Amino acid sequence: MGLFISFEGLDGSGKTTQIAGLAQRLRAVGHDVLLTREPGGTAIGDQIRSILHDVRNAEMTALAEFLLYSASRAQLVRQVIRPHLERGGTVLCDRFADSSIAYQGYGRQLDLDWVRAVTRFVTAGVVPHCTIYLDLPVEIGLARKQAAFAAQQGERNRLDLQPLEFYRRVRDGYLCMARAEPQRWLVIDATQSAEQVQQSIWERLQPMLLEMGEAARP
Ligand code: TYD
């Protein structure tokens, strides 16, 4: 079985840049890295992603939203993630199941136990060995996103139109999950520069990689 690392964080936390940097470093030391993302990562998942992101779908219920993320995940786990892990590869995923616990569970306030139970079924026991959580205050994340939109980088999607309270609950949810499972979660201060964040991730990942031992090595 290979190595599975997921990246989590609020919008604007810099996950996409950091995941690319880590992929490069791991490839340089011999890992067969597969980089993927949620929602999406498969042809079916990408179609589901467009429904989820479409700003015209403002009437989407929290339950429908959760089930669509779950459908995209069910496909990604079986079609892409699990086969690569079974080949002994390394998977880096830009968001995974913890995003649903944070956004649909804590954020939308769906029943947490139920969200967790469905998610266990959807992921078929595939759990990241390590989850890198890029933490930053909600206001900073939103300001970064606004700046990116102003510079015409990235398009506003349905999830960008939530009240501040929603993102606060999401962040609290992430911090709560990280506290509950410190052996899996690496909390990184994402207010640092991109280079510092990259370095912190690499340094903090080393002991975890060693601890995982041979089973998690290429
Ligand atoms: P994306 O454009 O990928 O944003 P980001 O770069 O911040 O990851 O959009 C993904 C959005 O979907 C993001 O706002 C978080 C949300 N999301 C959920 O609400 N639940 C989920 O299970 C997942 C995977 C994402």
Side-chain angles (χ1 to χ4, degrees), residues 82-158:
R82 199 167 51 189
H84 194 72
L85 293 175
E86 283 170 356
R87 286 194 293 272
T90 296
V91 175
L92 299 189
C93 197
D94 192 341
R95 299 193 179 280
F96 191 60
D98 299 304
S99 276
S100 277
I101 317 270
Y103 282 77
Q104 280 66 54
Y106 286 92
R108 299 281 191 226
Q109 300 179 302
L110 286 178
D111 183 88
L112 268 177
D113 289 338
W114 183 79
V115 168
R116 286 201 177 99
V118 175
T119 298
R120 268 197 298 277
F121 186 65
V122 167
T123 52
V126 174
V127 178
H129 296 102
C130 174
T131 296
I132 296 170
Y133 169 56
L134 302 184
D135 183 51
L136 85 174
V138 170
E139 291 78 1
I140 298 183
L142 293 179
R144 284 188 188 173
K145 268 237 147 171
Q146 290 309 329
F149 292 141
Q152 312 213 308
Q153 297 159 349
E155 236 172 76
R156 225 175 277 271
N157 68 49
R158 201 177 49 86

Side-chain angles (χ1 to χ4, degrees), residues 5 32-34 52 58 88 125 136-137 165 168 174 180 198:
I5 300 176
D32 174 14
V33 176
L34 185 140
L52 281 162
L136 85 174
E165 250 337 283
R168 293 220 169 95
Y174 272 130
Q198 189 61 238

Side-chain angles (χ1 to χ4, degrees), residues 36-49 72-73 76:
T36 188
R37 68 165 179 188
E38 279 206 3
T42 63
I44 291 170
D46 284 337
Q47 291 173 61
I48 297 173
R49 182 183 176 91
S72 169
R73 180 167 306 131
L76 183 69

